[in-house]
Amino acid sequence: MEATPQPLSVLTEEGVATFSPEELRAMRDEFQRFLLGYQFGLREVETKIGILRDEFHLTHDYNPIEHVSSRVKSPDSLVEKVQRKGIDGDFDSIRRHITDIAGIRVTCSFTADVYRLFDLLTAQDDVRVLQVKDYIAEPKANGYKSLHAILEVPVFLSTGRIEVPVEVQFRTIAMDFWASLEHKIYYKYATRVPDELLESLKDAAVTAAELDARMERLHRQIRGASAAAPSAMTVREITAVAEADAAAPGSGDPGVRAV
């Protein structure tokens, strides 16, 4: 004889809340539906990047993309960020204030490729730029370099069209290697990294940037033609448009522009 499922009691800020098994299943299903939109948005951007990669390989006999990785935040990671940022736990608030639930990292061969791919991706008429942070032109104080963009793409469901934000990070192999090492060091020291290690990390970032520049010069010489120069001005122009869009009356809650 099967045991009857018992209600579950959970300690909350308001006291003890009790949920039946049916209520718990309904909450689980609602959370899965919420994340599903981000999974589909991720696929849309992955497809666009894959098409650009294949077209470059076939048409230009050159592949500017070394590696692509993607993820949708796990429920635990999402809950932790909601609590850390002090965001209300309802789905509308999460949707407005957390724009990196879906994320893609594109690792390129050279800095020029980073800007070229950014330009090609954001030029597509169904891609809306919400925010750009160019940490290549202006690195973080610790030496971190990468081009971050929050892009909004349409996803068509049986219930209709939804707009999904996806964070895309573009970086070179050297930038990615440095960022990976920095992340491991911060994890090992629980963010309390000794000053001498921080200085060494910053020096390593300078060395990585020098290596990027040297390898790009070699690449241009080997191919016998100048590669396209990084279009930092284009990035600034796109950033200005995104900021003006966010500030315009009726443009929606500006919180969706925040990373």
Side-chain angles (χ1 to χ4, degrees):
M1 182 176 178
E2 290 187 10
T4 303
Q6 297 298 311
L8 176 68
S9 295
V10 178
L11 182 63
T12 68
E13 293 180 356
E14 290 76 25
V16 177
T18 302
F19 301 96
S20 69
E22 291 77 15
E23 289 173 324
L24 289 172
R25 280 192 289 268
M27 287 189 289
R28 177 203 62 194
D29 293 344
E30 188 178 5
F31 195 74
Q32 288 176 339
R33 283 194 297 271
F34 174 75
L35 291 180
L36 201 59
Y38 290 93
Q39 292 170 1
F40 294 153
L42 202 60
R43 287 189 202 172
E44 290 286 342
V45 179
E46 284 176 317
T47 298
K48 290 176 179 296
I49 292 170
I51 289 172
L52 288 172
R53 178 187 56 210
D54 294 346
E55 190 266 341
F56 259 92
H57 181 70
L58 292 171
T59 306
H60 304 289
D61 192 27
Y62 170 67
N63 183 7
I65 300 174
E66 293 287 341
H67 180 67
V68 177
S69 59
S70 63
R71 61 99 184 100
V72 173
K73 277 188 180 296
S74 68
D76 287 346
S77 177
L78 185 54
V79 168
E80 187 275 330
K81 188 162 189 175
V82 167
Q83 293 175 333
R84 175 162 46 88
K85 286 183 166 287
I87 298 168
D88 290 339
D90 61 281
F91 290 135
D92 286 340
S93 296
I94 294 172
R95 190 177 287 110
R96 283 197 305 272
H97 296 289
I98 301 182
T99 54
D100 65 343
I101 295 174
I104 297 179
R105 181 174 300 148
V106 183
T107 305
C108 301
S109 306
F110 307 104
T111 303
D113 294 332
V114 165
Y115 288 107
R116 182 184 299 176
L117 282 167
F118 171 83
D119 289 344
L120 291 170
L121 186 59
T122 56
Q124 298 184 23
D125 57 14
D126 61 343
V127 175
R128 182 185 175 208
V129 180
L130 299 183
Q131 185 184 76
V132 182
K133 291 185 178 180
D134 190 351
Y135 296 118
I136 297 176
E138 298 180 12
K140 290 186 178 182
N142 64 352
Y144 175 85
K145 300 179 83 173
S146 185
L147 177 62
H148 292 198
I150 305 296
L151 308 180
E152 190 176 74
V153 294
V155 170
F156 296 89
L157 304 175
S158 60
T159 52
R161 170 175 171 154
I162 60 172
E163 303 294 335
V164 180
V166 178
E167 182 188 58
V168 186
Q169 296 181 4
F170 302 87
R171 59 180 62 161
T172 65
I173 300 169
M175 294 172 196
D176 189 57
F177 177 59
W178 184 93
S180 176
L181 178 61
E182 188 247 13
H183 178 75
K184 290 174 183 176
I185 289 174
Y186 269 82
Y187 181 81
K188 176 178 175 60
Y189 286 93
T191 73
R192 294 185 293 273
V193 183
D195 290 341
E196 61 270 18
L197 263 181
L198 290 176
E199 284 300 316
S200 294
L201 267 176
K202 196 166 184 179
D203 289 343
V206 173
T207 302
E210 292 171 348
L211 178 62
D212 264 340
R214 179 178 297 183
M215 296 302 289
E216 189 152 353
R217 286 195 298 270
L218 285 171
H219 170 68
R220 292 177 181 178
Q221 291 173 9
I222 291 169
R223 289 185 66 84
S226 283
S231 53
M233 180 59 71
T234 304
V235 174
R236 286 197 292 273
E237 289 171 350
I238 291 174
T239 304
V241 170
E243 289 174 349
D245 238 12
S251 62
D253 192 322
V256 76
R257 274 80 181 164
V259 179

